[in-house]
Amino acid sequence: MRKQDTHYDFTRRTVLKLSTTAGMSAGLSALAGCLGNNGSDGSSGKIVAKDQIGAGDGNPSLTYWMLPDQSHTTTENKNVAKTVEKFFQTWAKKHSDAGIQIEYQTNLEQMKTKLLQVVARGSAPSMSQVDSFWVPNFYKDLQPVSDVIKNPDDWYPFIKDVAVQEGEWKTVWKSTDCRALYYRQDLMDKYNDGKPPKTWDELIQVGETIKKQENMSGYMYNGGKWEATTFDNLAMFWAQGGDLVNDKGKPVLDDGKNKKALLNVFQFFKRTIDSGVTPKRIANINDYALLEQAALNGETAMFLGGNWQISTMKQKADEETWKNWKVAKIPQMKADIASTGTGGWTEGVFTSNKQKRKAATDFVGMYAKRENMASYCKASGTLPTRKSVYEGTKYFSEDPYMQVYKKLLKNGRARPGYPIYLTISSEWQTAAGKVITGQASPEKAVDTMISNVNSQYNS
């Protein structure tokens, strides 16, 4: 049974929807409402105020771009506010002569555009929060933060793939997320020897049985016109060895192995629909909450979701319902391959002034410390990017779901941070919709997608 709706993961839903909306002119004025009033304007003398950290006339005086919901002023999550405020206090006590002036960014797409513009003009903030997806755009401008990365091998490989350039750490990737298969343990016990499916064939087989015996969908996933339809399912493409772009950012979907991997994924989409395992209505699913709703209402036995849904599902479900929901790796074409999409936020330093850079690096480095990463990720409901945090912190080491995510992240992969990705994602969403609704064959949908992507790139 489903409890009354409680707090909803507004931030993630908004981020994913905004990342697919052309223009992005609509401001996230609602985020401004996240701004609390933990301090004053800096004239109060507090070392941690709303817009000013440390000395108002500090030397050095740093500027910092940050999101309200990741700050000490957020009213959406008091634990995050307390954690970040503690980081600021620690930094301010260590740098008694220095100060940080905060500029809040309340529109994600505008933030990226503004950051590109000020960097190009040579007037970048001293430091800024940077979406992990944006990092490649700023490689030549981000200053090395290698000094605060004490144990490089402790970080997951996908972190280093993005954060490290020419041997230098360009940013501190403070938290991440990942995608997984959510499944009903009681139904797996009844119809699949207690184990979740590892392959597409197994998923279809057990899904058909559940559909027939339990009169519910076997499997659901994001299939609407939004970023998650691409990002969630990319794991099935990547696990086959597929690449979207080369190291120059050029799309390579028409290369033999990549096109084959892409076609395999879209043929899998068709199988889920043709078999009746998945309802066609997923073509209208553009919100993770709809998958949660189907799961908790007994409408599906499995769905493809993200780690952040654990907390919201636990809040919504009664204990008896929740105990049956488990997570596992995403079923793949073959059992011995794996991948999962990963995102998250980083902290970057832009100032090249030696004194400012040292002070800024000291601050962003706070997120790199194991105990601080554990505190921040626990408070924010995100996943640590250092492997040891999952062993050295009770919250993560004793939670069975966190231990699954720890394993899944070994095969984590981030989206390529090149401009053409937005076109690839949009075309993927369109092609998936046509296959799911029967408007196009997988072959036709893939050919059209590749043609449109290449045309956009060459234009």
Side-chain angles (χ1 to χ4, degrees):
M1 295 295 291
R2 191 163 174 267
K3 291 180 180 178
Q4 292 293 315
D5 287 353
T6 55
H7 176 68
Y8 183 68
D9 188 355
F10 166 79
T11 302
R12 181 175 302 282
R13 180 182 61 178
T14 306
V15 167
L16 283 167
K17 284 190 171 181
L18 281 173
S19 65
T20 63
T21 305
M24 306 297 175
S25 59
L28 287 181
S29 57
L31 279 177
C34 298
L35 289 169
N37 192 28
N38 287 15
S40 68
D41 59 2
S43 60
S44 64
K46 292 182 178 180
I47 63 170
V48 178
K50 177 181 174 183
D51 303 314
Q52 180 69 41
I53 309 301
D57 55 352
N59 181 26
S61 179
L62 308 176
T63 52
Y64 181 31
W65 285 16
M66 70 184 314
L67 295 166
D69 65 327
Q70 295 183 31
S71 79
H72 59 303
T73 62
T74 180
T75 55
E76 291 284 316
N77 187 327
K78 293 181 179 178
N79 292 327
V80 166
K82 290 178 181 176
T83 301
V84 176
E85 182 173 358
K86 183 179 178 182
F87 293 171
F88 277 137
Q89 287 174 340
T90 301
W91 179 89
K93 289 175 182 174
K94 181 179 178 181
H95 297 270
S96 57
D97 294 332
I100 300 173
Q101 186 175 8
I102 298 172
E103 182 176 327
Y104 293 98
Q105 303 296 317
T106 56
N107 183 301
L108 293 179
E109 277 304 309
Q110 287 183 5
M111 178 182 179
K112 178 185 177 184
T113 301
K114 283 174 59 181
L115 197 54
L116 286 167
Q117 291 172 341
V118 297
V119 165
R121 291 198 299 263
S123 55
S126 307
M127 53 185 179
S128 177
Q129 295 174 339
V130 182
D131 190 325
S132 59
F133 181 49
W134 305 345
V135 169
N137 293 280
F138 298 102
Y139 276 149
K140 67 181 178 63
D141 307 294
L142 286 164
Q143 299 300 309
V145 293
S146 302
D147 290 348
V148 297
I149 306 296
K150 300 304 181 187
N151 184 1
D153 291 338
D154 191 30
W155 299 69
Y156 282 102
F158 73 89
I159 299 291
K160 291 187 278 190
D161 288 345
V162 174
V164 179
Q165 277 287 297
E166 299 178 348
E168 291 282 4
W169 286 73
K170 289 289 193 175
T171 188
V172 173
W173 197 327
K174 61 183 181 181
S175 63
T176 188
D177 53 30
C178 78
R179 281 74 189 155
L181 177 74
Y182 281 70
Y183 66 94
R184 283 263 301 268
Q185 183 63 61
D186 58 329
L187 296 178
M188 294 304 123
D189 290 341
K190 196 172 181 180
Y191 299 112
N192 207 41
D193 296 328
K195 299 178 181 177
K198 293 182 179 179
T199 65
W200 295 344
D201 288 343
E202 290 177 14
L203 184 149
I204 296 296
Q205 184 177 12
V206 68
E208 285 181 320
T209 301
I210 291 172
K211 169 74 175 176
K212 181 179 179 181
Q213 299 295 330
E214 303 289 339
N215 193 31
M216 66 165 63
S217 297
Y219 173 65
M220 293 177 67
Y221 51 95
N222 279 299
K225 185 67 177 172
W226 77 315
E227 171 63 12
T229 293
T230 305
F231 198 11
D232 288 2
N233 293 294
L234 266 174
M236 299 178 179
F237 171 77
W238 283 328
Q240 298 176 67
D243 289 312
L244 299 175
V245 299
N246 63 17
D247 58 3
K248 304 296 183 184
K250 179 184 177 182
V252 291
L253 287 170
D254 51 358
D255 287 359
K257 72 178 180 67
N258 299 327
K259 184 174 181 179
K260 179 60 177 171
L262 186 63
L263 182 58
N264 287 338
V265 174
F266 280 76
Q267 287 174 334
F268 170 67
F269 290 162
K270 188 174 189 301
R271 284 182 70 192
T272 64
I273 301 299
D274 290 351
S275 64
V277 167
T278 300
K280 280 188 178 180
R281 69 181 177 89
I282 64 162
N284 296 318
I285 289 184
N286 59 1
D287 194 322
Y288 284 104
L290 298 176
L291 294 173
E292 293 169 12
Q293 183 178 354
L296 298 180
N297 285 343
E299 298 170 7
T300 188
M302 297 175 279
F303 73 92
L304 180 54
N307 67 284
W308 57 92
Q309 291 180 277
I310 291 289
S311 60
T312 52
M313 286 183 69
K314 284 179 73 173
Q315 290 172 3
K316 293 176 180 178
D318 60 51
E319 186 175 353
E320 187 66 21
T321 300
W322 172 245
K323 76 177 185 181
N324 274 321
W325 281 98
K326 309 294 183 186
V327 293
K329 79 169 206 174
I330 298 171
Q332 299 289 352
M333 189 173 180
K334 299 177 182 178
D336 60 351
I337 59 177
S339 183
T340 182
T342 54
W345 280 83
T346 79
E347 299 279 346
V349 174
F350 287 95
T351 178
S352 58
N353 175 281
K354 186 176 180 180
Q355 188 183 16
K356 288 185 176 182
R357 178 180 158 193
K358 175 66 171 62
T361 302
D362 279 354
F363 177 72
V364 304
M366 297 192 70
Y367 287 93
K369 293 181 178 179
R370 193 165 55 184
E371 62 276 18
N372 288 350
M373 181 179 288
S375 298
Y376 180 78
C377 290
K378 179 181 177 181
S380 61
T382 54
L383 298 176
T385 50
R386 293 185 60 174
K387 291 174 279 190
S388 62
V389 177
Y390 293 87
E391 300 300 334
T393 306
K394 188 176 179 180
Y395 174 79
F396 293 100
S397 64
E398 296 186 359
D399 186 311
Y401 297 96
M402 294 298 171
Q403 290 300 298
V404 173
Y405 295 134
K406 169 194 167 189
K407 295 177 182 177
L408 298 184
L409 287 174
K410 293 178 181 176
N411 295 294
R413 186 161 175 175
R415 294 166 292 176
Y418 294 100
I420 195 62
Y421 174 79
L422 296 179
T423 299
I424 292 173
S425 177
S426 179
E427 291 296 330
W428 177 300
Q429 297 158 34
T430 299
K434 289 186 178 299
V435 170
I436 291 167
T437 57
Q439 298 179 63
S441 67
E443 292 78 8
K444 175 66 175 175
V446 164
D447 284 343
T448 301
M449 173 183 168
I450 292 174
S451 175
N452 290 345
V453 168
N454 289 342
S455 177
Q456 177 65 29
Y457 183 79
N458 293 325
S459 68

